[in-house]
């Protein structure tokens, strides 16, 4: 159901797809085919792929691709500040609320895993080109966006015991 809602959002907003894979491909193609092209897709497809992985019970992979998507979408928005608010920024907000909510709720039970997957996402982004928003053209903005994710990572490291206690108090699982 969530995947259908996300597809509807993507169609409604009219998000462009930059690669050889489509929104429909993300639902059905092999993981290998999709992952070989994720460096060249609009970041919204990274969220959609993360949602698919989560539904397939490949949760660690889902967290990883969610953070790659979030990093790249934030970067896209920072270098394009004049985008209509009801377009890409609204789409990112909706994806964060829909996909990010259950992914972060799941991974929050294990702060060490959470940190390792954020590190992995940062490494992947460093090692892979960004066809949609080339990294070479906006280095300052890229560093700004990456530092936001690094700040989150550092917060998790420095507050892991507090995060666990807050989750216990809220009745959420902890590892």
């Amino acid at each position: 159901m969530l995947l259908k809602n996300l597809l509807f959002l993507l169609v409604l907003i009219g998000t462009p797809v930059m690669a050889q894979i489509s929104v429909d491909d993300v639902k059905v193609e092999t993981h290998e085919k999709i992952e070989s092209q994720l460096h060249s897709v609009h970041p919204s497809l990274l969220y959609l792929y993360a949602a698919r992985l989560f539904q397939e019970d490949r949760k660690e992979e889902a967290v990883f691709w969610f953070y790659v998507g979030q990093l790249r979408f934030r970067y896209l928005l920072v270098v394009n500040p004049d985008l209509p608010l009801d377009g890409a920024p609204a789409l990112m907000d909706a994806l964060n609320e829909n996909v990010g909510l259950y992914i972060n709720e799941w991974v929050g039970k294990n702060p060490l895993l959470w940190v390792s997957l954020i590190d992995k996402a940062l490494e992947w982004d460093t090692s892979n080109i960004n066809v949609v928003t080339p990294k070479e053209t906006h280095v300052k903005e890229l560093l700004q966006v990456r530092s936001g994710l690094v700040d989150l990572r550092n917060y998790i490291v420095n507050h892991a015991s507090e995060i666990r206690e807050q989750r216990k108090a809220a009745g959420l699982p902890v590892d």
Side-chain angles (χ1 to χ4, degrees), residues 80-90:
N80 294 288
D82 296 327
L83 290 172
L85 294 178
D86 62 349

Side-chain angles (χ1 to χ4, degrees), residues 9 38 61 66 92 96 110 120 143 148 151 168:
L9 276 172
L38 288 179
E61 292 171 81
F66 167 76
M92 183 176 177
N96 280 329
N110 186 336
K120 185 177 173 184
L143 292 174
D151 289 347
K168 284 181 190 175

Side-chain angles (χ1 to χ4, degrees), residues 71-88:
L71 179 65
R72 290 199 168 198
F73 214 147
R74 287 188 191 282
Y75 176 53
L76 173 70
L77 295 178
V78 166
V79 300
N80 294 288
D82 296 327
L83 290 172
L85 294 178
D86 62 349

Side-chain angles (χ1 to χ4, degrees), residues 3 7 21-29 34 38 41 45-46 48-50 52 56:
L3 217 46
L7 290 172
I21 60 173
S22 69
V23 170
D24 288 334
D25 291 338
V26 171
K27 293 188 315 186
V28 298
E29 281 296 338
I34 293 167
L38 288 179
V41 300
L45 289 183
L46 294 160
L48 186 60
Y49 186 55
R52 173 186 167 182
E56 293 174 350

